[in-house]
Amino acid sequence: MALKPPPFLQTLASFLLVLLACSEASPQQGLPNYVRFSFDAALFPVEAEYDYIVVGGGTAGCPLGATLSEGGHRVLILERGGSPHEFPSLSTMDGFLPTLSSAFLASDSPAHPFVSEDGVPNARGRVLGGSSAINAGFYSRAHPEFFHGAAPEQGGVAIKWDMGMVNESYDWVERAVTFRPELRSWQSAVRDGLLEANVTPYNGFTVHHVAGTKIGASTFDPSGQRHSAADLLAFADPDNIRVALRANVDRILLNPIHGGRRRNQHAAIGVIYRDRYGRRHHAMTRPNGEVILCAGALGSPQLLLLSGIGPRAYLSSWGIPVSLHLPDVGQNMADNPRNGISIVPPGPPLDHSLIQVVGITQSDGGDTGPFLEAASNVVPFFSNSRLPPFLHPHTGTTPLYLTVATLIEKVPGPKSFGSLRLASLDSRDNPLVRFNYFSSPDDLEACVSGTRKVGEVLAGRSMDEFRVPPGWFGNGLEKRDFRFVGAELPENMEDDASVKEFCRRTVATIWHYHGGCVVGKVVDGDYKVMGVASLRVVDGSTFSVSPGTNPQATLMMMGRYMGRKMNEERRMIERRRNRRRTTTAPPPGP
């Protein structure tokens, strides 16, 4: 049963909201400037009107909301999590693994865990800034093909991108949140190993997607501090924007349009959301306003289904009134599979690093092949009889801290697709999702190619300092070169069956899942939900492929890009309205 605040607390909360909203004082020292307009959802009125309601203050939602507010519009961002500064572990790269590993233990973790029906653990952002506030910080623009068409196997439609505005939007993001990383031991060795393995040419530092080996940008600055999409709220007009934290949207409010061009067409007029006490709030749109879903590849299709937009028979089976039969909501779900190895170097501990170097391979036909990336992390290992001897040299519960270096490959695309379905009628529950990893033979072949390339990197001279001395293992394992943690590469890398079995057995996520509201299936080329007025989806759920080595750059760009487009659309509407008023005005008197 939901807890409700006592009446006096509700009154006090409303008073504080008015006081804070009217205050012109600068934000508290040391806190980000968006604290000026970010408040707990319990402080918001039970009903209020806005020009734009952005559901999800994540990687796309923050730049979108900031840009819309620049246009002079009243904007509300509804974020189901808290603020990044509430979670100190998010501020540096050292907190990346602890945040993910502790996600299953805390109900309010900024990383909301889920396990796909494939059995692969995963996580989604539950904090202002979304997954850009919990990820490994790698930043790289989309591959050029992303802007020139859609996946034909899904019947996708091409979006008419304004490439000038695309590049300006990327630039806007990069000035605020990207930095050139400094390569240290493991990242430098992987860069050299990729070149030895003929992942060429060497492109140096670049944010562009180019074949070969490159150093990408990072959202961690030189002092190691993280910068996420939440930082882009610094560009918002504080008088025009409010961010509601811990606001869980239950459903979209729809009204039928009578006399429209299409039968049973509806228009979004607002949303219902709950605060931490379970109290319901109505956020309504003003005339010409819109609801924009930026809740991610899981949240956006889930909200459409809960609002009666989706396959008719499926919605009826849940007892959800059907507003619009849209059969592809929740379909075409995909996640880029990750496979790789982890080793413990024999020498002194390595520097902590997240992804900084990437190898972008090409197939024999010239198409983009698997991506190779690396990281090194200090992790604790406890005494455990099931661990190899070198991982528990003493007894007791005191952990032994070791550096684990990883080398992974990511399958591009991918071409394997699954689906999403509801787990309950409560929007706070994760939906059920199946990605069907490697159901496409092309994806499995790509994994084989990428795994073999990992083996080539490990065989290079650049890896010599990470090999164990001869005779280290004994017991018939003298030929082993590395101290592996977890799965090892197959002994016979030329055996297709062995490498395919390795791919299937060790598949993991790289957290780049997408789909569920794909362009051409659920939304049109302007990201408007087909058959519903005043409702858009602007996030990774609209992607039919993951845009390059990491999607966060393109998602932040997309938020800025669509905000600018929508501001332009609004100005055109207002100009047309003003012209009509001028034309129909009565002539002046004598």
Side-chain angles (χ1 to χ4, degrees), residues 226-239:
R226 181 193 291 276
H227 297 263
S228 73
D231 291 43
L232 300 174
L233 291 171
F235 299 111
D237 184 334
D239 294 328

Side-chain angles (χ1 to χ4, degrees), residues 12-22 39-40 42-45 242:
L12 177 62
S14 299
F15 173 75
L16 287 174
L17 178 62
V18 173
L19 183 65
L20 289 168
C22 295
F39 311 102
D40 191 274
L43 296 174
F44 279 72
R242 291 293 179 267

Side-chain angles (χ1 to χ4, degrees), residues 400-526:
L400 170 67
Y401 288 91
L402 298 173
T403 302
V404 175
T406 63
L407 182 60
I408 64 172
E409 64 84 29
K410 166 191 170 180
V411 172
K415 296 181 179 178
S416 301
F417 302 104
S419 59
L420 173 148
R421 55 196 178 92
L422 299 175
S424 75
L425 295 178
D426 191 336
S427 64
R428 294 170 295 185
D429 295 336
N430 280 320
L432 304 175
V433 60
R434 179 182 295 275
F435 296 115
N436 289 327
Y437 297 103
F438 301 129
S439 58
S440 167
D442 291 345
D443 290 342
L444 191 56
E445 290 298 331
C447 180
V448 169
S449 173
T451 301
R452 285 176 174 154
K453 190 61 69 174
V454 168
E456 290 180 41
V457 173
L458 289 179
R461 288 179 299 173
S462 62
M463 292 290 118
D464 285 350
E465 65 178 293
F466 306 106
R467 304 181 201 280
V468 296
W472 177 276
F473 292 101
N475 299 324
L477 300 176
E478 294 85 354
K479 294 183 179 180
R480 290 179 58 176
D481 290 331
F482 301 97
R483 291 190 293 177
F484 287 96
V485 178
E488 302 180 30
L489 292 176
E491 286 190 22
N492 183 3
M493 293 290 285
E494 298 304 314
D495 180 32
D496 280 3
S498 296
V499 183
K500 288 179 180 179
E501 190 276 334
F502 172 86
C503 288
R504 294 190 182 97
R505 174 169 50 88
T506 65
V507 64
T509 183
I510 199 166
W511 306 285
H512 297 170
Y513 49 89
H514 52 277
C517 300
V518 170
V519 173
K521 296 284 190 177
V522 176
V523 298
D524 63 18
D526 292 315

